[in-house]
Amino acid sequence: MIMKALKNLLSIFLIGLIFGGCAYNWIVEEPVIDPTDPNAEEVSFSSDITPIFASKCTACHTTGNQMPDLTSANAYNSLNSSRYINTSDPASSLIYTKASPTGNHVQYSEAEAALVLTWITQGAQNN
Ligand code: HEC
């Protein structure tokens, strides 16, 4: 009888742990911008996109090394070509697909990928 009550308590505790764990992950996750939302906040290349490159990409994509050059000073000019950006079909842009969370290269987080896609959807401006 007591054992059964203890088992029940243990089950409740474990279930709580599992769901509590998910809820916790959910809360700490970065907000994800919606690239299809026409009223989405304007994404800034200099304050939203280049910091992503600086944190994840410039170990390799520096001036004179692997193309494209993703250092803050050169990233825009380096990306401003149809090789990397396709504003008529943003999701096919190489700067988005290459590091998308489903690829096998270094990856953007889901939130970062959404920012890059939104930036291209909004016209890939040097803003
Ligand atoms: C550990 C080194 C390394 C890091 C970090 C890295 N890359 Fe790369 N990247 C490469 C190499 C090597 C290639 C060339 C081989 C290939 O295409 O996979 C490449 C290729 C690319 C290409 C295709 C270039 C072309 O002209 O075909 C793009 C776009 C790219 N990376 C974007 C990024 C982005 C965005 C990040 C950061 C999220 C990033 N890379 C982080 C090493 C890296």
Side-chain angles (χ1 to χ4, degrees), residues 48-59 70 72 106-109 112:
D48 299 318
I49 306 298
T50 59
I52 300 173
F53 296 156
S55 72
K56 290 200 167 166
C57 318
T58 52
L70 296 177
S72 310
V106 173
Q107 295 171 5
Y108 298 126
S109 68
E112 291 165 347

Side-chain angles (χ1 to χ4, degrees), residues 24-71:
Y24 183 71
N25 285 342
W26 181 246
I27 290 165
V28 296
E29 219 156 78
E30 311 157 77
V32 178
I33 196 167
D34 176 4
T36 62
D37 178 2
N39 300 317
E41 220 178 290
E42 186 173 278
V43 173
S44 157
F45 186 72
S46 59
S47 54
D48 299 318
I49 306 298
T50 59
I52 300 173
F53 296 156
S55 72
K56 290 200 167 166
C57 318
T58 52
C60 306
H61 293 273
T62 50
T63 315
N65 286 306
Q66 182 59 50
M67 281 296 286
D69 179 347
L70 296 177
T71 57

